[in-house]
Amino acid sequence: MSDHGDRVTFQHGQEFLAAISERWNYQILREVFFGAGRFGELRRALGISANILTARLNSLTELGLLTKRAYRPDKPWYEYALTDSARELVVPAIAAVTRWAETHATGTDITHHPLVHTTCGSPTNPYLACSSCHQPVEASALRPASAGEGGAGEGAAAG
């Protein structure tokens, strides 16, 4: 994704989905979002082998989803963080998948991941809302626009 310049195409979405669909990538992105940014932390949290974790971190960095910063001057040890562009898509996706999993999980061994809205400092349970009426949007209440109804592009320009 990083070598496509500023022009985003539909294929970028496909590349992103392919990247996070890889066995470990989504889990790595999730752990980085929830605060495990160092190699050892990620390895312990995921139970992943060092060579696979190294390859996945390099791939996610190359795709522009993670940045790495050296945190030890004496050794090549890095700390990883989501890029700003990754946060635009990854954070809502992680929040949605995490909330869904916590809501639908069976059993008693469920780890909850509370979220805080940094603008107001309050705990939050984010949800998808309609840009016109501001009501929560449920999956059953969404459908593609038919010809002549317009689309998100038309309404977005007016907002």
Side-chain angles (χ1 to χ4, degrees):
M1 286 170 43
S2 59
D3 56 347
H4 294 292
D6 293 335
R7 192 172 150 262
V8 175
T9 67
F10 187 72
Q11 285 71 30
H12 290 109
Q14 292 172 327
E15 288 177 24
F16 173 77
L17 289 175
I20 65 166
S21 296
E22 191 281 328
R23 180 175 179 197
W24 292 106
N25 287 355
Y26 173 79
Q27 294 175 62
I28 291 168
L29 293 169
R30 180 195 65 216
E31 292 301 321
V32 170
F33 171 68
F34 283 114
R38 294 183 177 180
F39 188 91
E41 294 171 328
L42 290 165
R43 190 159 177 226
R44 282 186 299 276
L46 298 170
I48 186 174
S49 70
N51 61 333
I52 292 174
L53 180 56
T54 298
R56 297 294 90 223
L57 288 169
N58 288 339
S59 173
L60 291 167
T61 301
E62 185 178 306
L63 285 168
L65 298 174
L66 292 178
T67 60
K68 71 179 185 179
R69 175 186 69 82
Y71 68 91
R72 284 202 51 174
D74 59 331
K75 294 184 178 183
W77 288 5
Y78 299 97
E79 187 166 51
Y80 296 86
L82 296 174
T83 62
D84 289 341
S85 63
R87 291 184 68 80
E88 286 180 42
L89 185 58
V90 172
V91 172
I94 289 171
V97 170
T98 300
R99 292 294 159 258
W100 178 86
E102 290 173 354
T103 301
H104 294 89
T106 58
T108 58
D109 195 22
I110 301 168
T111 302
H112 289 278
H113 296 87
L115 297 172
V116 173
H117 185 224
T118 59
T119 302
C120 69
S122 298
T124 186
N125 189 16
Y127 61 90
L128 184 62
C130 175
S131 61
S132 294
C133 71
H134 308 288
Q135 294 298 310
V137 174
E138 301 296 327
S140 62
L142 284 177
R143 66 171 171 77
S146 59
E149 277 188 300
E154 293 179 20

